[in-house]
Amino acid sequence: MKKQVVSHPDMPDPYGAYSTVVRAGDFIFVSGQAGIDPETGTKAGESFEAQARQAFKNLNSCLECSNSSMGDVVKVITWLGDANERAALNELFAEYFPDEPPARSTPIVDLPMGLLLSIEATAIAKS
């Protein structure tokens, strides 16, 4: 199986020593996408909804730039900064994955920079 780091000017840049997206065979692995506006490098807002929508937007951008889509996602880990936001996350998850949603894990963690959500995904790559 061949491994390839995917880069594209429309994808958010990584915030450390890791790749934003790696393709391995027919799978796309997207590193955690947070509620950070890629143009400014700052939080998309203080509210959970603003940050979560930006995180989903960032994830979608990574997938599209990698020849995949939200509909091709098979597994996500949603790193949640506040357990009280589970219901809001479930509503957004249903909005962004309306049909055959992927498997999901949701650990509650202390995210840096006051972030409230980070989304990591594994998707099927289109040929």
Side-chain angles (χ1 to χ4, degrees):
M1 181 180 311
K2 182 179 171 187
K3 173 184 143 182
Q4 173 192 2
V5 172
V6 178
S7 61
H8 190 281
D10 292 339
M11 285 185 348
D13 291 327
Y15 288 93
Y18 60 89
S19 298
T20 302
V21 177
V22 174
R23 179 177 178 153
D26 292 333
F27 288 97
I28 301 290
F29 298 89
V30 181
S31 294
Q33 296 300 303
I36 296 176
D37 182 328
E39 292 182 20
T40 65
T42 61
K43 288 189 289 187
E46 294 301 320
S47 73
F48 176 79
E49 182 170 355
Q51 287 188 31
R53 287 193 181 280
Q54 183 67 55
F56 278 105
K57 182 179 177 181
N58 292 346
L59 173 61
N60 186 59
S61 177
C62 289
L63 291 166
E64 287 182 351
C65 291
S66 304
N67 199 26
S68 191
S69 71
M70 297 289 269
D72 296 315
V73 174
V74 296
K75 169 72 169 146
V76 298
I77 301 174
T78 53
W79 307 93
L80 191 58
D82 181 351
N84 294 317
E85 298 294 356
R86 278 190 179 139
L89 174 60
N90 284 333
E91 288 179 21
L92 286 169
F93 203 79
E95 179 182 329
Y96 286 93
F97 298 105
D99 300 311
E100 298 181 345
R104 182 179 93 190
S105 299
T106 306
I108 309 303
V109 299
D110 184 22
L111 294 165
M113 299 171 36
L115 292 166
L116 302 172
L117 181 71
S118 181
I119 306 169
E120 174 182 317
T122 303
I124 298 169
K126 295 178 181 153
S127 299

